[in-house]
Amino acid sequence: GAVVSQHPSRVICKSGTSVKIECRSLDFQATTMFWYRQFPKQSLMLMATSNEGSKATYEQGVEKDKFLINHASLTLSTLTVTSAHPEDSSFYICSAESGAKVEQFFGPGTRLTVL
Amino acid sequence: SQQGEEDPQALSIQEGENATMNCSYKTSINNLQWYRQNSGRGLVHLILIRSNEREKHSGRLRVTLDTSKKSSSLLITASRAADTASYFCATVLGSSNTGKLIFGQGTTLQVKP
């Protein structure tokens, strides 16, 4: 099956710093990638939809200047949490889909802890 | 906003028993999918059922969809300790052309050996 990787798997940073999370589709070209956030014991909340070569579409309530998304190629999307604060601590998960499939393939997630 | 409501929120059963989880949604859908998540991990796609389908099987999994009631159920038969995980339903809205998933709140399943 299709594989999506995320890097890093875990990151701890100080308040005020920026953190970049990478999402890669390893064996297929992802026309669309999605970024989700998941707080402990809660469900996944879609943050934004990322299409290669165009600006991301953000969900209501998600600050686009806070969460910068770049989908520079068909296999890579990055999420940068700018000026991170403790309330940004969460589990961030990406998913990718190719144009041919309905199914989304999820990355293993990135645990962000902001001190 | 979350479209799906799942029940129960938590389910604890003995190995070998069946587990049933339910999901309800509010608006018309294109398809409904079930995912599994082990603690602290990413999601694994289990099964997809389209809006014009009523039942689907995959191994020990059986999914039903009732569009008139806007509900779906996931049945895991002959459960195993390894089935312990959180299970989420997710819908693709009927009006969506992006495949954007809206997740339910999830059911945490514990299967005791």
Side-chain angles (χ1 to χ4, degrees):
Chain A
V3 178
V4 175
S5 69
Q6 278 184 244
H7 179 80
S9 58
R10 187 180 294 267
V11 57
I12 300 173
C13 69
K14 292 182 179 179
S15 187
T17 60
S18 294
V19 175
K20 180 185 283 188
I21 302 169
E22 293 185 349
C23 176
R24 293 182 185 273
S25 57
L26 298 185
D27 50 4
F28 68 101
Q29 292 186 327
T31 53
T32 304
M33 288 184 170
F34 302 87
W35 286 95
Y36 298 85
R37 179 167 53 183
Q38 184 180 31
F39 291 109
K41 299 189 185 304
Q42 294 189 24
S43 187
L44 279 75
M45 294 290 293
L46 179 65
M47 299 174 67
T49 303
S50 166
N51 291 296
E52 185 266 338
S54 62
K55 289 184 178 180
T57 302
Y58 290 81
E59 294 300 301
Q60 194 171 12
V62 178
E63 300 174 58
K64 62 180 180 180
D65 295 329
K66 171 79 172 174
F67 300 99
L68 301 179
I69 291 173
N70 186 348
H71 193 156
S73 76
L74 284 172
T75 59
L76 173 65
S77 176
T78 61
L79 167 67
T80 301
V81 183
T82 62
S83 187
H85 291 283
E87 57 265 31
D88 298 323
S89 298
S90 187
F91 194 54
Y92 291 88
I93 305 176
C94 72
S95 70
E97 67 173 24
S98 69
K101 292 184 179 294
V102 176
E103 182 179 344
Q104 289 182 29
F105 300 96
F106 283 79
T110 296
R111 173 79 56 196
L112 171 63
T113 303
V114 185
L115 302 177
Chain B
S1 62
Q2 291 295 323
Q3 152 138 279
E5 298 289 334
E6 292 185 59
D7 77 273
Q9 290 188 349
L11 181 60
S12 181
I13 59 175
Q14 292 295 135
E15 207 166 26
E17 295 180 338
N18 296 341
T20 299
M21 289 159 265
N22 302 296
C23 167
S24 61
Y25 56 91
K26 297 175 183 174
T27 61
S28 66
I29 60 172
N30 185 295
N31 63 69
L32 186 145
Q33 304 177 35
W34 285 90
Y35 288 84
R36 165 200 169 116
Q37 183 182 35
N38 286 71
S39 181
R41 302 291 188 91
L43 272 70
V44 174
H45 182 264
L46 295 177
I47 198 164
L48 178 153
I49 186 165
R50 298 183 188 277
S51 59
N52 62 352
E53 297 176 310
R54 292 296 167 259
E55 188 171 311
K56 213 163 181 182
H57 297 254
S58 176
R60 294 185 294 114
L61 305 180
R62 174 177 167 251
V63 168
T64 63
L65 178 65
D66 186 335
T67 53
S68 66
K69 295 181 180 178
K70 291 185 168 58
S71 67
S72 173
S73 68
L74 170 67
L75 168 67
I76 303 174
T77 60
S79 64
R80 304 167 182 168
D83 294 329
T84 295
S86 291
Y87 292 82
F88 295 92
C89 68
T91 53
V92 175
L93 300 183
S95 58
S96 172
N97 59 1
T98 64
K100 185 167 72 172
L101 289 171
I102 307 298
F103 281 85
Q105 296 303 312
T107 294
T108 300
L109 172 67
Q110 181 186 29
V111 181
K112 300 175 184 175

